[in-house]
Amino acid sequence: MACRNAYKKMMKEAGMISSSVIQPVVETTVDRLLFGVDSKTQANDLLQNNISEFEWIVRNKIYPNFFGRHINGEGCLTKDEIKFLHGKGCKIAPVYIDDSGEKLTEEQGAALAKKIDVCAFELGIPVGKAIFLEINEAENVTSEFMIGYTKALIEEGYTPGFKANTDAKYSFDREFSRATRIETDIFNKCLIWAVAPTVAEYDGITTSHLIHPDNWRPFAPSAITRREIAIWQYGKDCHPIEDDMGQITTFNLNLIRNANIVITKMF
């Protein structure tokens, strides 16, 4: 409780409790921003200095409101880690990575949604919560695939999300925007986690104590606006350190806006 009270005090002193302090570029008002992280390393993983990854984040930044974790693949989220994070009062943003093949048709999208549903059930992720599909910059992902995936995941009871580079030079911008224009009602339910741009002073930083960038400036696909981006990963590969097995671990810095909507979609 002391940590959380200290965190709230820091937020208040930094001006994050009052939305009037934050001056966005496009809109004149903005809901308060909340800080969170994501990492390939388990939050309860022990590091070389005999503290956990979570404690390392708190020491070098502030108390995270949420922790983004992969729910499949090597080093993925486990039930023990869920218990650990919930014991810290920290929400979890589940991310699914799929590198099994092409993502071109509605049928392929629907099939992937079924796989994600099974994974979510095994971890005990409640229905209604968001699951983010990570889209690699080099992947060829079509609007048809996105439509099939989004419809099927909603049918399974989850809120679809995409974690992607939203810079227009990559295909996600074009294909997501096309899908949004075709299935507007469905895609209005999607949450977008933008991983671009990385703010230069937060790229690979080892002193990330500043709370957030001055402005809310994630890149947004053409079919939506910046204020509709749910999460912005503004810093990446921060505070490298070896874990107890000698492997380098880092974490990424994120902000969410519209917290009353987005944070409730995490579990």
Side-chain angles (χ1 to χ4, degrees), residues 133-137 162-167 172 192-196:
L133 176 61
E134 186 166 301
I135 304 296
N136 187 285
E137 294 170 356
F162 293 99
K163 183 181 181 185
N165 191 324
T166 45
D167 189 324
F172 178 80
I192 301 300
W193 188 336
V195 302

Side-chain angles (χ1 to χ4, degrees), residues 15-199:
M16 291 189 69
I17 299 298
S18 171
S19 62
S20 62
V21 174
I22 301 168
Q23 299 298 326
V25 174
V26 180
E27 58 274 18
T28 57
T29 60
V30 61
D31 293 340
R32 69 189 179 105
L33 304 178
L34 294 182
F35 170 74
V37 298
D38 69 284
S39 177
K40 295 179 181 179
T41 301
Q42 293 179 346
N44 53 344
D45 194 12
L46 195 65
L47 304 181
Q48 66 178 36
N49 52 3
N50 199 37
I51 64 174
S52 70
E53 174 79 355
F54 188 90
E55 292 168 314
W56 179 243
I57 291 166
V58 174
R59 176 179 292 189
N60 286 285
K61 188 63 178 169
I62 54 177
Y63 209 98
N65 289 274
F66 68 93
F67 204 119
R69 289 285 290 123
H70 299 139
I71 61 174
N72 66 315
E74 184 178 356
C76 66
L77 182 70
T78 65
K79 289 186 177 180
D80 284 343
E81 186 183 2
I82 292 172
K83 184 177 179 180
F84 174 85
L85 284 168
H86 286 173
K88 299 289 187 182
C90 185
K91 294 273 193 175
I92 301 169
V95 180
Y96 191 92
I97 300 177
D98 178 71
D99 55 4
S100 60
E102 61 184 15
K103 297 178 174 63
L104 304 178
T105 68
E106 286 195 31
E107 292 75 17
Q108 289 169 340
L112 181 57
K114 298 287 185 182
K115 288 174 60 177
I116 292 175
D117 176 58
V118 172
C119 183
F121 176 79
E122 291 175 347
L123 283 171
I125 300 174
V127 295
K129 301 304 181 180
I131 299 176
F132 294 88
L133 176 61
E134 186 166 301
I135 304 296
N136 187 285
E137 294 170 356
E139 283 189 288
N140 181 20
V141 182
T142 68
S143 56
E144 289 80 9
F145 172 88
M146 291 184 187
I147 290 170
Y149 166 77
T150 300
K151 284 182 176 179
L153 197 64
I154 290 173
E155 289 175 0
E156 298 297 340
Y158 292 100
T159 299
F162 293 99
K163 183 181 181 185
N165 191 324
T166 45
D167 189 324
K169 66 184 178 183
Y170 299 107
S171 63
F172 178 80
D173 171 18
R174 179 180 64 255
E175 297 302 323
F176 175 81
S177 297
R178 181 178 298 161
T180 300
R181 294 184 182 104
I182 295 171
E183 296 284 357
T184 303
D185 290 343
I186 291 175
F187 276 77
N188 281 343
K189 299 176 182 177
C190 289
L191 299 181
I192 301 300
W193 188 336
V195 302
T198 299
V199 181

